[in-house]
Amino acid sequence: MSKVEEKIQSLHLELPQAFKFPTANRTGCVQVGNLLFVSGHGPAELPGVITAGKVGGEVAEDDAVFTAKACALSMLASIKAEIGDLDKIIKVVELLGMVNSAPGFNRQFAVIDGASDFFVAVFGQEVGQHARAAVGMAELPRDIPVEIKGVFQVTD
């Protein structure tokens, strides 16, 4: 078990199965050199995770923060499936967090902090700190509350 997976377990979480994309023309990750581009991921289905609804409407902000953390876990599952070992991640470079927002909800930044804080907790400040954007969306696929994509630097 990798050090990253041990850290995830110490946070009382576990890595889910990697998301299976429904068509062959899409994949969870694409590696170019030492950069790994991770597709948009919805939340892993974990106990307590809200998997449908608009944030600021039927989904409370606190619940959406946990949902963003579940998206980060789903991303790590895809990364592990792609490169085999999460200890090969040497930098979380960038995240784009998309929040399915009810009209008037403007705290997307706070929701995506769930993922940002998780990556720093797992990797430490030096590796986990990243560039980021958090935006509100009128709709997301399958009515998920949060979707996150990212770029990670990995070793060979």
Side-chain angles (χ1 to χ4, degrees), residues 6-53:
E6 288 175 2
K7 182 62 179 179
I8 290 168
Q9 283 188 345
S10 78
L11 298 171
H12 307 289
L13 297 166
E14 54 183 78
L15 208 59
Q17 292 295 315
F19 179 75
K20 301 280 190 219
F21 284 80
T23 63
N25 65 350
R26 293 185 284 153
T27 185
C29 305
V30 172
Q31 187 168 352
V32 178
N34 68 340
L35 292 179
L36 192 64
F37 295 84
V38 181
S39 295
H41 279 66
E45 292 189 21
L46 303 172
V49 173
I50 306 296
T51 58

Side-chain angles (χ1 to χ4, degrees), residues 26-107:
R26 293 185 284 153
T27 185
C29 305
V30 172
Q31 187 168 352
V32 178
N34 68 340
L35 292 179
L36 192 64
F37 295 84
V38 181
S39 295
H41 279 66
E45 292 189 21
L46 303 172
V49 173
I50 306 296
T51 58
K54 290 198 176 291
V55 181
E58 60 268 15
V59 178
E61 183 179 317
D62 288 345
D63 291 331
V65 170
F66 188 58
T67 300
K69 184 185 292 188
C71 291
L73 276 167
S74 183
M75 294 169 74
L76 290 180
S78 288
I79 292 170
K80 181 179 178 184
E82 182 70 22
I83 66 173
D85 183 355
L86 294 177
D87 289 344
K88 291 182 178 181
I89 296 171
I90 57 175
K91 183 68 179 165
V92 181
V93 177
E94 179 183 44
L95 298 179
L96 170 60
M98 297 160 277
V99 179
N100 188 355
S101 300
F105 182 77
N106 64 359
R107 292 183 46 83

